[in-house]
Amino acid sequence: MLSEQTIATIKSTVPVLEVHGTAITKRFYQMMFEAHPELLNIFNHANQKQGRQQGALANAVYAAAQHIDRLEEILPVVRQIAHKHRSLGIKPEHYPIVGKYLLAAIKDVLGDAATDEIINAWAEAYGVIANVFIDVEAEMYKEAEEQQGGWSDFKNFVVQKKVKESDQITSFYLVPQDGQVLPAFEPGQYISLQLQIPGEHNTHIRQYSLSDAPGQPYYRISVKREDAVGSRPAGKVSVYLHEQVQEGDVLRVSAPAGDFTLDQTDRRPVVLISGGVGLTPMVSMLASLVKSAPDRPVTFVHAAVNGDNHALRNEVEKLVATHAQAAVRWCYSRPTEQDRLAQAFHKEGRLDLAWLQSVIPEHNAQYYFCGPVGFMQSVYGLLKEWNIPASDIHYEFFGPASAWEAEAQ
């Protein structure tokens, strides 16, 4: 427990963090990576370069300061982050390193304003928060390892099959190299791939949703190739997977993780909304619902550029055809002439509230969505405009989610 004086001191820094939070976290990562370059084997380099990780950490530190006297209120966020940490291989010995350089960055950026009282209060608070993460993650590591077929950290998987799903998306079917059974997972969860790309000094870790139902003899991920656009460089990992990884190759994989999961106990209708490659966890959820809840109404809404970019369409339509209360709706922002001739979509342009209300038969439902940042912000805003309760809105975003959440408010 933190002392009243420590709590008061931490709360007094909230206005400062609101102004200088991102500057502090930028300096933190710079200092930490200079001293511990081995940590670049864990952190997402793209998120660092784009400033997304720094912004997300600033938001997390700000939230911790705001809620320092009632940390139980941020436990759901702690669990969400802990899932990602377990999937990435974050260990207890990493926390003192982070604490050391976070405090150093606060002092470096704020200068004399960061008094000994403030630094000591943050050191105490960080210790409490770090212990919460360590305890939660220890339990997650234990659960991952002790389940049937489970393991800790990363394990070798063989690419059994590689299937091109669209112009941009390819599926990889992964099976354990040791022939052991696959542990179960919840629809909506993800795995991490740890890759040593030729010519790259550091390993790269990326998280991908599992795109098929649980219970298969494989894990399937469906990966979008991220090509260079303007000043944004091509995605090293996605391009490597598409161009270099072949059937028979071995990849390092973490056990399934994530709290963006289908609530199987709620019997209300389900609405699955996706954009682009964000449909991958939705397909897993749909496939699971078809098997486990054939009487539960499901509306599957997917937005794509056009038919050439639309992955897993036939698979979704086959699943919907086997579910008496399921419906599917396609929205193409720039349909091709062939799409028009084939009447391959239900709406042209972007999702809007009026159209969503017209295709979703029951307002009182559970809503799940996933997709690119702009799409996520748009859908989140539409659902809030429709007065959907926060408890019925669920989403997955690969990267520091708090940054786009703050912008979407």
Side-chain angles (χ1 to χ4, degrees), residues 53-68:
Q53 192 71 56
Q54 295 90 329
L57 178 58
N59 288 336
V61 172
Y62 180 72
Q66 281 186 308
H67 298 87
I68 197 66

Side-chain angles (χ1 to χ4, degrees), residues 4 251 279:
E4 289 298 322
L251 301 176
L279 91 166

